[in-house]
Amino acid sequence: MEATERPYWDMEVEPLLNTPEMRELQWTKLREAIRYCYEKVPFDRQRMDKAGVRPDDIRSFDDFARAIPHAGQPEIRALVEEFGGDFDKVFGALLGKERLDDLYLLTTTSGTTGVPTPYPFFRRGVERQSDMLARASWRMGIRPGDRVGVCFGLSMHAAGTPHLLWYLDYPGVTLVPIGAEAGTERILQLMKLFKVNVFAGTPSLALHLIERAPDVLGEPVASLGLKILACGAEPGAGIPEVRTRLEQEYGAKVFDGGAGIGGSCDHPVYQGMHWLADDFAYYELSDPQTGEPVPLEHGASGLAVMTPLEPEHALFFFNLRVTLGDIHQVFTDPCPCGRSGFRYRIVGRTDDMLKVKGVPVYPAAIEGVIHGFVPRVTGAFRIVLDEQPPRVVPPLKLKVERGRDLRDDDLPGLEKEILEKMHKDLKVRPTISWLAPDTLERSTKKTQLIEKAYEGS
Ligand SMILES: [Zn+2]
């Protein structure tokens, strides 16, 4: 078999993903990780002390799931407050001295709200992290000779800058660090000039480039001849309607990547992201309300909770049982694509879940419905909230841009269709205020879908 034809990047580990053999390896590593965090990481030690457990008390995965409650943004914010905003002290507590001394790259999330969440990268971690990204890239079909346009934010952005390190050992790939900050015009020009054939960036940027290409390039975006869109940092590429639109407009394969540790496959129907990091991070689901463990069964959903199995190499998750606030649905049955790894789909985030008459609604789900109506709508929309979420007093208010060529006469019929689809799929009956095309601001980074009318403007 040709080296470039092999199914997996790592032919030793990847065939074992989601197997009993892998569970044994995970257990061995998890015990060591618990010990490491207890001995060297003040934040985790305090959590275990508070719960009255010591590493030796944890004798099974089930013990671990019940040993300490999961931690997330609220606990990190409390630490920031406790240390009066001194991030060195916060890091000392969260990472421990050994990892802090190995700190190499300090980035943040895109920070759409409040204090940015720091994302550290360790010297010792970079190589191991490259291996994770390589697994996802190989499955996407990135091969020697490809030219990757890195269009994530490069200023501090945790999804952008590390790309430049992660591909160091990937054979034959050239990186073009364009950065979302370059703006759509330059992004399009540079991709064309340097013959980029793989786009790495947010799905909302990819959507925005479709609209801009005719003006900037004088041709549709398909003229760039991209073969792959490697999307991430937003759920868009996992929304079937968005993915279909991107594939059609670009004439490229579209993949959804998750924090460098998961990636979708090229099965024609979206199957979720394959979890590629069994040997690197331990994955659990937990009930977002009660914190009770949720068994990892086909179709189950819950808050995704992670633990690094190699804490000194950790990526995005640095502590025991931590969550970024993402609600996942998992699929443990074999994927029709035939590749290894259970799959997960991002349902939404705990902090952007809305409750309309008690029915949970995620902005990503609304986005899916709206995008199913392109080109009669542009795809751009906002959810307008009059009160602090999650509770929404009905009706849910939407602002939606009408499509460029839509006739006035066709608007009422379109509105009726959209509302019926929302009711059928999401069990909500919103009201729509129509906007002219290109009224809403387009973002090259993370698009804020919620307009907080209660905060004034
Ligand atoms: Zn698959």
Side-chain angles (χ1 to χ4, degrees), residues 139 263-267 271-272 274 334-341 343:
R139 288 179 185 220
S264 63
C265 55
D266 75 353
H267 193 269
Q271 301 290 328
H274 286 251
C335 184
C337 78
R339 298 288 159 91
S340 65
R343 291 158 285 134

Side-chain angles (χ1 to χ4, degrees), residues 38 45 47-55 57-58 67-68:
Y38 186 74
R45 188 183 187 109
R47 292 164 68 205
M48 287 177 69
D49 284 345
K50 193 174 163 196
V53 274
R54 300 183 56 93
D57 299 334
I58 300 169
I68 48 168

Side-chain angles (χ1 to χ4, degrees), residues 285 294-302 328-333 343 345 347:
L285 287 182
V294 174
L296 221 61
E297 287 163 1
H298 190 75
S301 53
H328 288 183
Q329 185 181 21
V330 298
F331 307 97
T332 54
D333 286 358
R343 291 158 285 134
R345 179 178 78 85
V347 177

